[in-house]
Amino acid sequence: MSWFDSHAHPTQAGIGYEILAMRAAGVEGFIAVGTSVSSSEAVVDLVGSVHESFPELTVGAVVGIHPHDAGSATNEDLETLSRIIEDDPVLVRGVGECGLDLFYEYSSREVQEEVFRSQIALAKRFDRTLVVHTRDAWEDTFRIFEEEGVPDRTIMHCFVGGPDEAQRSIAMGAYLSFSGIVTFKNAENVRQAFLATPLDRILVETDAPYLAPVPLRGRPNSIGNVAVTGSFLAELSGLNRLDFARHTWQNTIDAFQLAPKTL
Ligand SMILES: [Zn+2]
């Protein structure tokens, strides 16, 4: 059994324990995601050292500016992101997480939109996977993609829409990545969205340290818990865990164009 966590925010401080726990849970890969220039530099360093110490794991980094941080982003920051991608073309697999958050709206809508558009352009320019954060902003998100075009590989991270948003995301060619939220009692619409999504578009993630799945809800999340969410989704889909894990593993390899490994 090999699970893959398509989206987490690990830090150097906890990584030793995190790797022990993930391997015990049958998790053999993860994507570490930045939310600012400094955290992006940190995840690239972290993924580099994990790759060296644990070559049997499959890992990658995603670098970008979260909509919460869009307000303080500068043109220089975007240039720095380009440089990070150029400097490490093998380990840096994607751009993000980026997008729109109109629930918290920590940065103004206009600025969020501009910084999102710049990162869509960056993903296209370097042929990298785009990792999208969208909250209370579906219409604006779809509009921006209509205007900018959709990068070849685009992931709706922590998908919390319903079947309608799932259909629209699938129609534009995106992958849907499901987090622990899908296990929450009040997330029936997300479960319906999952059931409306073709198996080859489904990814599983933790978004650790946030969003621990039931029955761990409320505790700090960790990469190993992707096995909990993955098992929940396998049961929901009617597949056995091994098959579901195998499919979502391969989907993650495809979505980030990771070098395949013999397991
Ligand atoms: Zn995240």
Side-chain angles (χ1 to χ4, degrees), residues 4-12 15 18 29-48 50 58-67 69 81 84 91-99 119 129-134 155-158 177 179 203-210 223 252 255-256 258:
F4 204 126
D5 183 355
S6 80
H7 187 116
H9 302 281
T11 58
Q12 204 70 254
I15 196 64
E18 193 121 356
F30 67 85
I31 300 290
V33 182
T35 56
S36 62
V37 168
S38 59
S39 68
S40 293
E41 286 170 330
V43 294
V44 173
D45 283 350
L46 177 134
V47 162
V50 170
T58 302
V59 290
V62 171
V63 300
I65 299 165
H66 193 285
D69 292 309
L81 290 179
I84 297 172
L91 288 179
V92 181
R93 306 311 313 156
V95 173
E97 60 180 286
C98 60
Q119 292 180 93
T129 305
L130 187 74
V131 176
V132 180
H133 171 114
T134 179
I155 297 169
M156 298 303 200
H157 128 74
C158 192
S177 185
S179 71
L203 307 179
V204 193
E205 65 171 70
T206 59
D207 207 13
Y210 316 108
I223 292 169
T252 316
F256 288 102
L258 292 152

Side-chain angles (χ1 to χ4, degrees), residues 23-233:
R23 306 198 78 178
V27 182
E28 297 288 329
F30 67 85
I31 300 290
V33 182
T35 56
S36 62
V37 168
S38 59
S39 68
S40 293
E41 286 170 330
V43 294
V44 173
D45 283 350
L46 177 134
V47 162
S49 63
V50 170
H51 180 66
E52 232 165 70
S53 310
F54 304 92
E56 66 280 21
L57 298 179
T58 302
V59 290
V62 171
V63 300
I65 299 165
H66 193 285
H68 289 346
D69 292 309
S72 54
T74 61
N75 283 336
E76 211 184 344
D77 288 341
L78 289 159
E79 280 163 31
T80 307
L81 290 179
S82 310
R83 210 182 55 237
I84 297 172
I85 299 169
E86 282 170 327
D87 284 352
D88 208 330
V90 177
L91 288 179
V92 181
R93 306 311 313 156
V95 173
E97 60 180 286
C98 60
L100 303 173
D101 196 314
L102 304 183
F103 180 77
Y104 288 109
E105 213 171 333
Y106 287 151
S107 310
S108 80
R109 286 165 184 248
E110 294 71 23
V111 171
Q112 287 191 37
E113 188 165 327
E114 192 187 328
V115 176
F116 183 28
R117 285 180 194 273
S118 304
Q119 292 180 93
I120 294 173
L122 202 63
K124 288 181 169 185
R125 182 173 144 213
F126 289 101
D127 188 27
R128 286 301 187 278
T129 305
L130 187 74
V131 176
V132 180
H133 171 114
T134 179
R135 184 143 187 216
D136 282 4
W138 284 110
E139 292 310 320
D140 290 295
T141 302
F142 289 128
R143 172 179 54 81
I144 290 168
F145 277 122
E146 242 160 61
E147 291 164 9
E148 298 290 330
V150 185
D152 286 346
R153 298 170 311 283
T154 294
I155 297 169
M156 298 303 200
H157 128 74
C158 192
F159 186 86
V160 287
D164 182 48
E165 289 82 12
Q167 292 296 358
R168 293 169 75 183
S169 303
I170 294 157
M172 65 173 225
Y175 291 90
L176 278 59
S177 185
F178 292 90
S179 71
I181 286 181
V182 74
T183 69
F184 294 180
K185 198 171 169 222
N186 61 359
E188 189 51 37
N189 65 327
V190 184
R191 286 187 283 278
Q192 293 304 322
F194 168 77
L195 291 170
T197 305
L199 184 56
D200 65 355
R201 299 295 183 84
I202 292 169
L203 307 179
V204 193
E205 65 171 70
T206 59
D207 207 13
Y210 316 108
L211 300 173
V214 172
L216 308 165
R217 189 174 179 180
R219 296 193 214 164
N221 202 2
S222 70
I223 292 169
N225 292 337
V226 78
V228 176
T229 303
S231 300
F232 176 91
L233 290 173

